[in-house]
Amino acid sequence: MYQYSKTISREIETDVLVVGAGSAGFGAAVAAARNGAKTLIIEKGSEMGGMATTGLVGPFMTCFDDDAKEQVVKGIFDELCLRMEEKGGAIHPSKVEGMTTYSSYYIKSHCHVTPFVSEVLAITMEEMLLESGAEILYQTNVIDVIAENRRIEKVVVAMKEGLATIKAKYVIDCTGDADIASEAGFEMTIGSEKDGVMQPTSLFFEVGNIDREAFVGELESKISRLGIPGANCWSWYIEEAKENGDWHLERNEIGNYEQPIKNRWKINATRIPYIDATKSKDITKALIEGRKQVQEVLSFMRKYVPGCENIELIQVASCLGVRETRRIAGEYSLTAEDILAQKHFEDAICTFAYAIDIHNSEGGGATFKQVNHYYNIPYRCLLPQKTKNLIVAGRSISGTSEAAASYRVIPCCIATGEAAGTAAAMALNENLTPAKIDAGKLQKQLIKQGAVIKDL
């Protein structure tokens, strides 16, 4: 054990501190600032977007109900989609059907996905954030949290110029891993309730120089000729590659998502199981393995997939794609049963409908349960138990591992972020703890901002 002490003279003060500039953090910071709070968002990386930019994760999964008829995630999320579309960097989800190149020929929960270009997303998020009046600090790493009696007093960060403390009246944890809540001593769970195992990680990558006519023509021919879902077309090639010793991955399909830019595709094919992404050693191991798997997938596509003979690697994600780590123990824990039963919540703050999508650690497949039309998420899921000034948004809100397999995706993260930011500004204006604000007033404000909350 080594004890170390240092006097930190640099201090930053703000009303609302948002930690993490991924999808949830983006929604939270924009909402808090637009509602009048002095807002600072800090990010350990160099751009907005998190998984969707540095992680290259895309497209946005469906923001429509499970019947693919009504868009149920709007507000800041929809504004983001429209603004990217104006730049030529996205296609609005209302214009994208299932069983297309944009959805990798999936149909369940893949009608009305949002194809986007990651670079355009980062720029658009940044523009919206700055227009809201919020401030951002990149290359700022949290190294400690000073908390007392379930109140975050200060967050200690490492900046380029040295250590600093940030004092905020309200803190929103959008780290994805509940880092702030964990460091502050709030209770939480990690991974599956049964054994603690987390869903496998992945490393997305982008490719170009595909002969689109040959590639798409072959896939669509197999779909039509064999009468199989689009995703299953890949198992046809993979089985042949396995027999020849050219495929060793624990995956039997390849997600290939065309982007709204000529001859550019996002590929989701790697799978690295049994990784605890709250540990640097595990993250390092997964990144190294992921990059090896990228090369194997590319070799496979060149050899076996028509139209991919001259495929070229454009880029590999610079951060690991993480589906699951910590989740807070909140004032309410959402369950899969709540989702499937479409349970009514008086304090609902957003509506969602993506399937319960659990990637298996072994065997290469996934457990995929569609929801009944849609479901709501209660505000209490964003509140660590007995919190004085901390709110959580994104995939680490309170819920079971199975429930999180649905709400972990980007449109929902932005929606919970918008709710968290709006709630923080409301608590600030009324000098209340987050749990004491009027849920009805919060709902009215969110709806005024364009959010959809069904069954009120």
Side-chain angles (χ1 to χ4, degrees), residues 34 66 126 177 210 214 217 254 272 274 295 332 406 410 420 426:
R34 284 180 177 177
D66 194 58
E126 197 170 74
D177 300 317
I210 289 176
I254 296 178
I272 311 101
Y274 302 110
Q295 296 303 314
Y332 186 85
S406 171
I410 290 169
M426 187 176 295

Side-chain angles (χ1 to χ4, degrees), residues 62-74 92-98 107-113 351-354 370-374 452 454:
T62 185
C63 56
F64 274 61
D65 62 18
D66 194 58
D67 302 315
K69 293 179 180 178
E70 180 184 2
Q71 187 174 343
V72 293
V73 184
K74 291 187 178 180
H92 192 270
S94 62
K95 302 173 184 176
V96 181
E97 299 298 330
I107 185 68
K108 295 180 179 179
S109 282
H110 283 67
C111 288
H112 305 302
V113 298
T351 297
F352 201 49
Y354 183 65
Q370 288 184 266
V371 306
N372 181 24
H373 304 304
Y374 55 80
V452 176
K454 302 287 287 184

Side-chain angles (χ1 to χ4, degrees), residues 204-249:
F204 269 70
F205 60 102
E206 292 185 341
V207 298
N209 205 35
I210 289 176
D211 182 338
R212 187 183 188 280
E213 185 175 350
F215 177 65
V216 173
E218 176 69 10
L219 287 178
E220 292 186 348
S221 173
K222 272 194 165 48
I223 293 168
S224 175
R225 193 169 69 251
L226 302 175
I228 58 177
N232 290 354
C233 289
W234 289 99
S235 61
W236 184 278
Y237 305 113
I238 289 171
E239 286 305 314
E240 182 183 357
K242 281 182 178 178
E243 291 177 5
N244 295 333
D246 293 329
W247 186 267
H248 306 92
L249 278 61

